[in-house]
């Protein structure tokens, strides 16, 4: 496994591989890898001749008072995980290389970036769309894999790839959860033991929604209230948003069908966690 930090070297390596007729599968991450990332890497391994992982904590997708400076990291462990998943190249650029002085270009996916996490984190998805565009241009992937854990991010990237005719196949992967239901996240490491227990209210709320949908409930308002009631039972949880939306357009839904998205963001102390489900989809 090769570790490349220089942007130019990564791009030249990728272009050279492409000239040799190799296909490149790509998994972009912010590091502190867990089983969710590993599931993307294992799938990526089957999708290309060369598997590239990037680790880059992208400053322009963090707001002023967010956790950019405290974002967890353990590069040695990440490299071991990557090696175990068959990664060929780990790309670890630095911020000054990615955003040298004078940098002023951005990519914005206008409508899909507005609701849900975009409303609580203004500018977040512009930062995501911009860095993913840069990473795609540097890594030259044929296939790129993203988790449905970040459902809106996946929707934004799919739209961007289609709108800008990017020659990349974007693949969405299932949410990987702990045995008790908590969606894996690098940010789970911020949780105290009591917050970790309280964090189960996110997945519990989604399970309740799925059960009520399976039992025939089709009112978005009713399902939303059911989910809110589950969160309300947890005194440590503060809701950022809980929304019932169309899974394709992210527009509000009044009635629910198999493609309806229920997405939520909840704060436990200082830690903001997200989770979601498509009600009619197998999990
Ligand atoms: P991050 O390092 O948090 O930016 O995540 C990198 C990629 O891993 C994104 O495409 C995420 O959606 C994906 N990911 C993170 N957590 C999970 C999870 N629990 N299950 C599946 N994919 C995940």
């Amino acid at each position: 496994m090769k570790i490349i930090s220089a942007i130019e070297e990564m791009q030249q390596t990728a272009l050279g591989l492409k000239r040799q007729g190799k296909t490149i599968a790509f998994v972009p991450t912010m590091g502190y890898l867990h089983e969710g990332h590993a599931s993307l890497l294992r799938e990526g391994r089957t999708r290309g001749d060369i598997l590239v992982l990037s680790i880059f904590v992208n400053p322009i997708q963090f707001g002023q008072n967010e956790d950019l400076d405290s974002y967890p990291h353990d590069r040695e462990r990440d490299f071991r995980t990557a090696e175990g998943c068959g990664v060929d190249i780990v790309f670890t650029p630095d911020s000054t290389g990615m955003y040298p002085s004078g940098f002023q270009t951005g990519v914005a996916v206008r409508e899909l970036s507005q609701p849900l996490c975009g409303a609580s984190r203004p500018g977040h998805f512009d930062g995501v769309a911009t860095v993913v565009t840069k990473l795609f241009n540097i890594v030259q992937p044929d296939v790129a894999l993203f988790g449905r854990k970040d459902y809106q991010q996946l929707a934004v990237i799919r739209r961007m790839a289609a709108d800008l005719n990017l020659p990349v196949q974007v693949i969405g992967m299932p949410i990987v959860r702990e045995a008790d239901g908590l969606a894996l996240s690098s940010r789970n490491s911020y949780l105290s033991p009591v917050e970790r227990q309280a964090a189960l209210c996110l997945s519990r709320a989604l399970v309740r929604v799925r059960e009520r949908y399976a039992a025939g409930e089709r009112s978005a308002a009713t399902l939303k209230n059911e989910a809110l009631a589950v969160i309300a039972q947890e005194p440590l949880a503060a809701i950022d948003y809980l929304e019932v939306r169309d899974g394709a357009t992210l527009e509000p839904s009044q009635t629910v069908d198999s493609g309806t998205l229920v997405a939520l963001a909840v704060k436990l102390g200082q830690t903001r966690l997200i989770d979601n489900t498509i009600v009619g989809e197998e999990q």
Side-chain angles (χ1 to χ4, degrees):
M1 188 174 80
K2 209 166 159 185
I3 296 162
I4 300 180
S5 296
I7 293 170
E8 188 62 21
E9 183 187 353
M10 180 67 241
Q11 192 174 47
Q12 288 309 319
T13 302
L15 289 168
L17 289 162
K18 298 303 285 278
R19 273 194 300 272
Q20 292 168 32
K22 306 272 193 217
T23 58
I24 298 177
F26 179 43
V27 177
T29 77
M30 300 203 298
Y32 211 66
L33 302 183
H34 51 63
E35 207 31 52
H37 300 113
S39 72
L40 271 54
L41 290 170
R42 282 190 216 101
E43 179 66 21
R45 184 61 285 171
T46 72
R47 300 257 185 177
D49 299 321
I50 303 292
L51 176 59
V52 180
L53 160 72
S54 67
I55 300 178
F56 179 58
V57 182
N58 175 35
I60 68 166
Q61 72 186 64
F62 285 77
Q64 281 292 313
N65 298 313
E66 293 184 355
D67 58 342
L68 173 63
D69 295 330
S70 54
Y71 199 81
H73 62 99
D74 184 341
R75 285 291 181 271
E76 291 310 315
R77 198 187 65 181
D78 287 351
F79 294 153
R80 285 197 298 277
T81 304
E83 193 126 46
C85 293
V87 169
D88 297 298
I89 300 173
V90 188
F91 176 48
T92 56
D94 62 25
S95 292
T96 41
M98 289 290 274
Y99 303 110
S101 77
F103 183 90
Q104 55 187 286
T105 303
V107 179
V109 180
R110 289 185 206 101
E111 277 150 48
L112 286 175
S113 296
Q114 297 309 314
L116 307 172
C117 285
S120 335
R121 306 183 72 188
H124 170 68
F125 289 112
D126 295 356
V128 169
T130 301
V131 80
V132 170
T133 303
K134 285 171 67 70
L135 290 168
F136 281 2
N137 283 329
I138 297 163
V139 172
Q140 300 280 314
D142 298 276
V143 176
L145 300 99
F146 295 86
R148 292 206 283 266
K149 158 85 179 357
D150 300 274
Y151 189 93
Q152 187 175 13
Q153 169 173 282
L154 174 61
V156 163
I157 290 164
R158 278 194 200 288
R159 186 77 248 169
M160 175 182 87
D163 287 356
L164 300 182
N165 309 95
L166 304 183
V168 183
Q169 185 190 357
V170 174
I171 296 176
M173 294 288 293
I175 301 175
V176 177
R177 298 177 179 281
E178 301 280 7
D180 63 8
L182 180 67
L184 294 192
S185 165
S186 305
R187 290 191 168 98
N188 292 349
S189 64
Y190 296 144
L191 300 171
S192 70
V194 278
E195 288 168 349
R196 168 67 182 76
Q197 201 52 33
L200 290 177
C201 70
L202 283 86
S203 53
R204 223 181 268 138
L206 297 176
V207 168
R208 171 74 64 85
V209 162
R210 293 174 62 83
E211 284 169 358
R212 299 289 288 117
Y213 176 79
E217 182 58 60
R218 293 294 181 267
S219 154
T222 305
L223 288 182
K224 181 171 174 172
N225 285 332
E226 290 268 348
L228 286 171
V230 174
I231 308 285
Q233 280 168 9
E234 179 44 70
L236 290 182
I239 294 188
D240 175 1
Y241 68 77
L242 194 163
E243 303 263 4
V244 181
R245 299 213 163 214
D246 181 272
T249 64
L250 304 187
E251 274 164 17
S253 305
Q254 263 69 56
T255 58
V256 175
D257 63 31
S258 61
T260 298
L261 168 75
V262 180
L264 76 170
V266 171
K267 271 189 106 173
L268 297 142
Q270 294 305 301
T271 307
R272 181 176 174 282
L273 299 179
I274 58 172
D275 202 347
N276 70 81
T277 195
I278 297 286
V279 291
E281 217 161 65
E282 259 186 62
Q283 292 223 300

